[in-house]
């Protein structure tokens, strides 16, 4: 409510508001993240009807589009990461896919989706997203290594060797 009142006062200057509030918002995101990690065994964590943290996240998304990641993809990446940490990788894939859909030029979204797909035994789909991650960050050793492993398992030893060398 305080942010909402302040928002009305600055008459829509989202950049100025974010710059003034970015420290507080980042602290709030970190606290939300650690709350999730500490309570990751609670399967209702993301149900806003049950979880106060889930409710807070939903309300923040509805009211304030000033938070980092103007496309909104960061929220889906955060939720996907929390789901992975909670051992709910298949559920995380949908969130990572939404992050990629909102921001296909996000290295982190592509990489997160590739890892989740790999963890759920979808190597061809994972390889495609590792390739996208490498298009965005050609020097990334983790993407090279993970792609090389997938290629080696698929029998493409020559290309796998190239990626191992770059890892």
């Amino acid at each position: 409510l305080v942010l909402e009142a302040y928002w009305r006062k600055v008459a829509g200057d989202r950049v100025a508001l974010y710059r003034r509030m970015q420290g507080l918002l980042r602290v709030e995101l970190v606290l939300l993240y650690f709350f999730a990690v500490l309570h990751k065994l609670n399967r209702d964590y993301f149900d806003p009807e049950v979880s106060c943290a889930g409710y807070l996240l939903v309300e923040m998304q509805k009211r304030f589009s000033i938070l980092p990641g103007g496309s909104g993809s960061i929220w889906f990446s955060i939720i996907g990461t929390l789901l992975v940490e909670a051992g709910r990788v298949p559920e995380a894939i949908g969130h990572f896919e939404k992050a990629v859909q909102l921001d296909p030029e996000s290295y982190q979204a592509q990489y997160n989706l590739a890892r989740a797909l790999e963890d759920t035994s979808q190597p061809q789909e994972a390889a495609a997203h590792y390739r996208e991650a490498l298009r965005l960050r050609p020097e990334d050793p983790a993407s090279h290594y993970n792609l090389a492993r997938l290629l080696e398992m698929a029998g493409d030893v020559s290309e796998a060797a190239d990626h191992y060398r770059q890892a």
Side-chain angles (χ1 to χ4, degrees):
L1 294 176
V2 172
L3 282 176
E4 205 167 341
Y6 186 74
W7 172 254
R8 288 190 179 110
K9 182 178 177 185
V10 295
D13 187 358
R14 293 177 183 215
V15 174
L17 178 61
Y18 174 69
R19 284 195 177 121
R20 292 189 79 179
M21 303 299 292
Q22 68 183 346
L24 175 65
L25 295 171
R26 287 182 179 158
V27 168
E28 191 170 355
L29 284 173
V30 168
L31 289 174
L32 180 64
Y33 176 80
F34 284 112
F35 184 84
V37 170
L38 292 173
H39 294 89
K40 67 183 176 182
L41 297 177
N42 175 0
R43 65 183 205 81
D44 291 327
Y45 180 79
F46 293 106
D47 180 357
E49 300 296 319
V50 177
S51 168
C52 61
Y55 176 78
L56 174 64
L57 182 61
V58 169
E59 287 302 309
M60 286 177 69
Q61 285 176 311
K62 279 196 262 181
R63 293 181 186 206
F64 307 109
S65 60
I66 60 165
L67 297 174
S71 67
S73 70
I74 191 169
W75 291 113
F76 292 100
S77 291
I78 290 170
I79 292 170
T81 301
L82 293 172
L83 286 167
V84 167
E85 290 178 4
R88 296 163 61 182
V89 179
E91 290 176 64
I93 289 173
H95 292 281
F96 291 141
E97 287 174 336
K98 185 67 173 174
V100 167
Q101 178 186 4
L102 289 171
D103 189 2
E105 297 300 307
S106 167
Y107 158 80
Q108 198 62 51
Q110 295 286 352
Y111 182 82
N112 288 343
L113 179 55
R115 288 296 312 246
L117 289 167
E118 184 179 355
D119 288 348
T120 57
S121 301
Q122 299 177 59
Q124 290 177 329
E125 294 86 351
H129 288 283
Y130 281 131
R131 289 182 195 283
E132 278 299 303
L134 285 169
R135 181 183 63 78
L136 297 165
R137 281 198 195 160
E139 74 289 346
D140 180 49
S143 294
H144 278 292
Y145 179 77
N146 292 335
L147 179 57
R149 284 186 309 99
L150 292 175
L151 290 168
E152 184 179 19
M153 287 188 295
D156 190 346
V157 179
S158 174
E159 189 179 355
D162 290 340
H163 286 285
Y164 277 130
R165 276 192 288 278
Q166 295 178 64

